[in-house]
Amino acid sequence: MLGLPIFRKSDVTADCEACGRRFDASGGGGCERCQRILCDEHLHGSWGRRMMVELGARAVCVSCRAEERERAS
């Protein structure tokens, strides 16, 4: 191979508004409800939920989903 960097880590990072951890932009995102920038753990919570978002589900964070469940019960 010619040494071309095909799969490089992103240079764009952000700090999670829930835990303060710095994360790569491809490993998290913004909650559609509360508009916070969150790491993958606080935005999706699980691999399964992340896959649902990748397939078109709304990106709603763990905290907002928990509030929805509390209001529903």
Side-chain angles (χ1 to χ4, degrees):
M1 186 102 181
L2 299 172
L4 298 174
I6 296 172
F7 299 109
R8 258 188 0 188
K9 241 186 158 180
S10 173
D11 292 335
V12 179
T13 60
D15 294 329
C16 178
E17 292 184 35
C19 65
R21 184 181 66 153
R22 183 166 295 265
F23 64 94
D24 186 295
S26 66
C31 175
E32 291 183 24
R33 179 156 300 134
C34 66
Q35 304 297 308
R36 295 186 303 164
I37 303 296
L38 301 165
C39 65
D40 190 42
E41 181 179 335
H42 289 103
L43 180 61
H44 302 298
S46 68
W47 179 84
R49 178 65 187 176
R50 180 177 181 155
M51 290 299 105
M52 289 172 61
V53 170
E54 293 292 331
L55 293 172
R58 292 181 66 216
V60 178
C61 72
V62 174
S63 299
C64 290
R65 289 196 316 266
E67 288 175 14
E68 278 181 8
R69 283 191 298 270
E70 285 179 13
R71 275 189 258 133
S73 59

